[in-house]
Structures are given as C-alpha cells and as structure tokens.
Amino acid sequence: MGFARTCSVALAGIEGVVVEVQADLEPGIAAFTLVGLPDKSLVESRDRVRAAVVNSGGEWPQKKLTVGLSPASVPKSGSGFDLAVACAVLGAAERIDPRRIADLMMIGELGLDGRVRPVRGVLPAVLAAAEAGYEQVVVPEQTAAEAALVPGVAVLGVRSLRQLIAVLAGEAVPEEEPREAGRPDPMLAGLALPGSGAAAGLASRPDGGGPLPDLADVAGQRAARTALEVAAAGGHHLYLKGPPGAGKTMLAERLPALLPPLTRRESLEVTAVHSVAGVLPPGKPLIDTPPYCAPHHSATMPSLVGGGNGLPRPGAVTLAHRGVLFLDEAAEFSGRVLDALRQPLESGHVVVARSAGVVRLPARFLLVLAANPCPCGRHSLSGAGCECPPAVVRRYQARLSGPLMDRVDLRVGVEPVGRRALLEGAAGGEPTAVVAGRVLQARERASARLAESPWRLNGEVPGHELRTRWRPESGALREAERDMERGLLTARGLDRVLRVAWTVADLAGRDRPAAADVALALQLRTGVSRGAVPVGEPV
C-alpha cells in the first residue's frame, strides 16, 4: 500500500482554506475515486491528471486509487487542485519522495500535455498558505510574480509537470519550448472570468488604460469640484444631480485620480479581490491605484453585491473596494439593488448567504451616484420644455430611497455649462495634481489625529466619537442643530455633516471645525446656500 499527501487551497469568496490532498494506493481493480465534496470541474480532474502524468513520461499506477480532499466538509471548486492531486498520486506510487511534498503547497491546473495552466485567486490562496505556516508554494509560472507578493513564502513557478517532477526527484530539469514572440499566450485564458472584464463595466478604469482624465478639463462646476475634493479627502459618498450633458460622468471619472495611492496592505486586498474575480490586469500582479467600477443600470443584485451559482463570487461593490463605485443613471437601477447598498455603506463589507455557504466580502468603497431630475432630464431647466407630469417626476426621484440618500454625505446640483465658460475652456480650473496634493495633506492630518483609533478617514468615524472625543469649536454646530429641530436633518445626517465639517477643516488646515466649515458641510448636503466659501478659494 502506498500513501502520500500534499496541500492546496480552496477559496470561499476571497478567503482561502488549506486543503490536504491525500492519495492512497491499494491492490485491486484499477480505479480512480475522488472524495471530499468536489464540484464538476474538480471531478473532471481525474482525466486531466491521468493524461498529464502519462504525457509527462510518468507511469500511471494500475491499482485502486483513492484521492481525498480534507476537510471533507468544505465545498471545493475549480481546477486549481490538479497539480496537488498529480503529485500526491506520484508520491503514493513512489515516483517522487512523499516527504518532499508533505509540507508543500501546490496550486495550478494541468493540461492534457502536462503543461501547468494558471488559475484565478493565486494571491489569496498564497496568503492563506502563509497564515497557516507554509513556507513553500508551487504555482504556474505566469502567476509566480503574483504569489511572490506575499512575504515570507518561497515561490516556485513551473511551466510543466515534467519540470516539477524533476525538481522534486532531484533530477535535471528539462527545458520547455519557448513561446513564439508575438503570438498570444493561450495559457493566460484561465485568468479571465468570462463576463467580468472591462466590457462588463465591473472593473474598468475611466482611462481605459491610458493617462487618467484631468480635472482641469472640467469647465465651470465650482460647487461640484469642491464636492469631489471633499469626497476624496474624507471618503464621503457623493450624489450628482443635473440634466443630461452637464458633466456628471465627466466629474465622476476624475475622482479616482484625486485619491492617494493605495498602501501596501490595501494593494494586497484589492489585488486579491481582482485575482479571484478574474479581472487582474495582465502583466500587473499588484494593483496600487484605487479601482473604478461603473456597472450598467441593468445590473442585477448578484452582479452588484455578489452571488451567483454555488459559492458567492465578488460583485461590483467588492471590485470597487478601496476605490470608486460609480452608478450612472442611478434612478434607472432597480430599487432592490440600490437598497442593497445600504448595509455595505455602513459596515464596509457585505455578507452574502447562499445554500452552498456564507461568505464575507470586503466592500469599503466611495459611492458616486449620478441621476437626471426627471425621465426626460429637462425638469430643472427653465424654458426647456419638460413634459413630465409632476407625479412622474416625484416617482422618478423617489427611486433613490430616503434611507439610501441619508447615507450620502454630499449632494450637489450640476448645472449646464454656459457658452462662455465652455468656449473659454477650463483655464481657471485647478489640475488634478494640485487638488490631489491638498487631498493627500488633508488625509495625513486626519490620519495623525486618528492614529490611536481604528479609523483612518473622517467618513469612517462614528458620530458618537465626533460628538464626545473630537469636538468642533464652541457654537459651530448651532445652525446644524436648528436644521435637526426643524426635521431637515436626521441624527445620522447630523453625524455626517460633522464628518464633512472635519474634512473641510482638514483641507483648510484648521485644528477643529469652525462655524464656516459646518456651513459648507450643510450646503454640500442640503444644496441650500449658506454663504460658505468653497474649498481652495480665498475667504
């Protein structure tokens, strides 16, 4: 009887569970049994592994073979177990030393010819292996750079099963035929999940891969530019309302460039999410810039918050983690889909429960909503000929529910740009680099103030802490308190006004919010002019 074991990783959402792959050979009729809650793609690994071993020059054992995936209670899916199954079988057959693979983590799919194909989710799988104490991992050559992002783990990238057998057996490593230059690599096809790329609008950047759009291109829109700066500095959610062609989408596309670069920890979080989702940019193993996701208004609930058949997959709110989620034509989205955003907006994560299991996905994003005032879009324009009945306008605007809008800190009307401002261009507007510099300085002030707390942005601080631990100047909240007494502000709304006031104070370089900072915060939330001076302008 022969026995060998090695390890691989099963992914549940973006979290990995270490799986022990065991192979047992017994005398009897030749058969291959795979146990341990495998899915269809994993059951098919029996044929892939057998063909790969034979075509790699190995001898397939003609005995009763049982491969177990432990723990057996955890559902396992995908083809990333092929490499571990093949090595466990070869170890049981004593082609390689079982002791060499006992503490080795293996991730990869096998082709029938023995080539090792890349799979999605290598980074979170290696992170799970490192947390479990594994120090050596074997991955496909194409994803070795992604796996090497995890510190303290030795990574071996292999191109074929032949090479791995030679390394484990202490033999000369055979050379594989190099890929012809200029020809596409078919091995990379396994990294992209169909329907989740840029064409689906779930993880597209506003630049399409080129230079980021510059804020200097925006003509006019002084209030909206101020709102963008405040949103980027404090992590506040933003609602842009205005007629078609006023520049709402143009403004939203320039928000990611105002955000500071991701920290190392944030980069690993975002890269792990995109790796699992199959939208990791080729040739870029680490994402260091905030993502930008703009799903179409026909998006379903699973595509937005996560779900799908079997174990839930990340949705747009998770793909926008540490970045911007832009919902253009927000009033055209389903009401159920929009209200599903309320929980992740508060908690920073989303819990998706399905019959196959429950997963917790990160979802700390900056939400930007854009909507027209009515179905035809001309309701707010004088003399524009809006023919929408008042009941239709009210019903259209009510699609954005009160509880959802109460969680949006900044609400700005975007008016059409006049002929003079448009023809003169945006010569008076500040470029992205200047505004991003102020945003970075404001975030550094907030980070220094919140250093001894679990929060890093003003938009994350609970209202109780702002009212008791970090107080504004005496009398600064008087106007906001009057609005609350009149029913114009809820208790949550007052807390959010205070958060925005702290961000305005950080942008202005003040130690505490003054009455002018609270007035600007109220103006940005209610849309009613309070005589406040926009950020970046002289008083």
Side-chain angles (χ1 to χ4, degrees):
M1 182 180 72
F3 177 83
R5 63 181 180 86
T6 187
C7 295
S8 191
V9 177
L11 291 176
I14 64 167
E15 297 179 355
V17 178
V18 174
V19 174
E20 188 177 70
V21 181
Q22 306 168 343
D24 178 70
L25 284 174
E26 297 179 358
I29 300 175
F32 189 170
T33 304
L34 183 64
V35 297
L37 282 185
D39 72 342
K40 179 65 175 177
S41 61
L42 188 48
V43 169
E44 292 176 350
S45 69
R46 295 180 298 185
D47 299 320
R48 290 196 301 269
V49 169
R50 182 187 294 111
V53 169
V54 173
N55 290 328
S56 298
E59 183 178 348
W60 187 258
Q62 298 301 314
K63 295 181 180 180
K64 181 182 178 182
L65 171 62
T66 303
V67 174
L69 308 176
S70 179
S73 59
V74 176
K76 303 162 190 74
S77 61
S79 56
F81 294 88
D82 289 3
L83 202 58
V85 171
C87 288
V89 172
L90 293 172
E94 299 183 352
R95 171 64 179 86
I96 56 180
D97 188 351
R99 294 173 296 180
R100 295 288 302 274
I101 62 174
D103 296 324
L104 203 59
M105 182 68 65
M106 301 185 188
I107 305 162
E109 177 186 333
L110 287 175
L112 300 183
D113 57 355
R115 289 183 299 172
V116 181
R117 303 180 63 92
V119 294
R120 298 183 297 273
V122 166
L123 178 58
V126 177
L127 285 170
E131 291 177 0
Y134 290 86
E135 299 178 351
Q136 293 180 314
V137 296
V138 179
V139 298
E141 185 181 56
Q142 292 87 343
T143 56
E146 181 183 343
L149 296 173
V150 181
V153 177
V155 178
L156 173 62
V158 294
R159 297 180 60 187
S160 67
L161 182 60
R162 284 184 293 270
Q163 289 184 337
L164 181 57
I165 294 174
V167 170
L168 295 175
E171 302 169 355
V173 179
E175 290 290 336
E176 298 291 337
E177 295 183 5
R179 181 173 60 88
E180 295 184 20
R183 296 190 61 182
D185 188 357
M187 306 290 283
L188 297 177
L191 294 178
L193 184 65
S196 294
L202 290 181
S204 58
R205 285 183 57 180
D207 56 330
L212 287 171
D214 199 294
L215 197 59
D217 300 334
V218 179
Q221 306 298 358
R222 186 173 62 174
R225 291 170 63 99
T226 296
L228 281 184
E229 183 173 348
V230 173
H236 306 290
H237 307 302
L238 173 64
Y239 172 49
L240 301 173
K241 179 181 178 181
K248 301 185 294 296
T249 303
M250 187 179 185
L251 287 162
E253 289 177 345
R254 281 149 180 78
L255 180 56
L258 299 181
L259 302 176
L262 300 178
T263 64
R264 177 71 178 186
R265 178 180 177 182
E266 293 171 345
S267 295
L268 290 176
E269 292 177 3
V270 174
T271 303
V273 168
H274 286 233
S275 177
V276 170
V279 293
L280 196 62
K284 187 176 182 181
L286 183 67
I287 298 178
D288 55 2
T289 56
Y292 174 86
C293 301
H296 191 258
H297 62 257
S298 62
T300 61
M301 181 83 75
S303 69
L304 195 66
V305 300
N309 297 327
L311 284 174
R313 291 204 310 261
V317 298
T318 302
L319 293 174
H321 181 58
R322 302 295 181 184
V324 177
L325 176 64
F326 176 47
L327 302 185
D328 199 6
E329 305 295 344
E332 300 293 345
F333 279 78
S334 165
R336 289 181 60 252
V337 171
L338 289 175
D339 285 338
L341 297 174
R342 286 151 57 178
Q343 186 249 342
L345 285 178
E346 288 289 332
S347 62
H349 65 267
V350 59
V351 178
V352 184
R354 294 293 186 271
S355 59
V358 179
V359 297
R360 183 179 185 271
L361 302 170
R364 189 166 295 282
F365 54 88
L366 183 57
L367 176 65
V368 180
L369 301 171
N372 297 326
C374 68
C376 75
R378 300 190 296 270
H379 177 68
S380 60
L381 300 178
S382 59
C386 174
E387 299 178 355
C388 300
V392 173
V393 175
R394 287 195 301 270
R395 190 161 51 247
Y396 186 81
Q397 295 179 354
R399 293 182 182 180
L400 300 177
S401 66
L404 173 64
M405 294 305 299
D406 202 31
R407 291 167 168 82
V408 177
D409 302 341
L410 312 172
R411 310 171 190 176
V412 181
V414 182
E415 300 296 332
V417 180
R419 177 184 60 85
R420 180 177 179 181
L422 186 62
L423 294 179
E424 288 179 354
E430 292 178 309
T432 293
V434 174
V435 180
R438 286 202 301 267
V439 168
L440 181 59
Q441 292 177 1
R443 286 206 174 196
E444 289 174 349
R445 292 190 187 100
S447 181
R449 182 175 63 252
L450 303 172
E452 302 300 325
S453 71
W455 311 288
R456 290 295 174 266
L457 296 176
N458 293 323
E460 301 173 358
V461 183
H464 173 73
E465 298 289 335
L466 292 176
R467 293 191 301 270
T468 58
R469 188 173 176 181
W470 295 288
R471 294 177 177 271
E473 291 183 0
S474 178
L477 286 177
R478 189 172 294 114
E479 191 171 356
E481 291 170 351
R482 282 200 300 265
D483 282 4
M484 187 176 179
E485 292 175 356
R486 297 170 186 165
L488 301 178
L489 277 180
T490 63
R492 181 193 289 121
L494 181 64
D495 291 343
R496 292 186 174 273
V497 166
L498 193 50
R499 293 177 185 175
V500 175
W502 270 105
T503 300
V504 175
D506 288 334
L507 286 168
R510 285 188 278 271
D511 294 333
R512 291 192 299 168
D517 301 324
V518 176
L520 180 55
L522 282 170
Q523 182 173 307
L524 291 173
R525 182 174 180 84
T526 63
V528 178
S529 176
R530 312 282 174 138
V533 178
V535 175
E537 295 191 8
V539 179

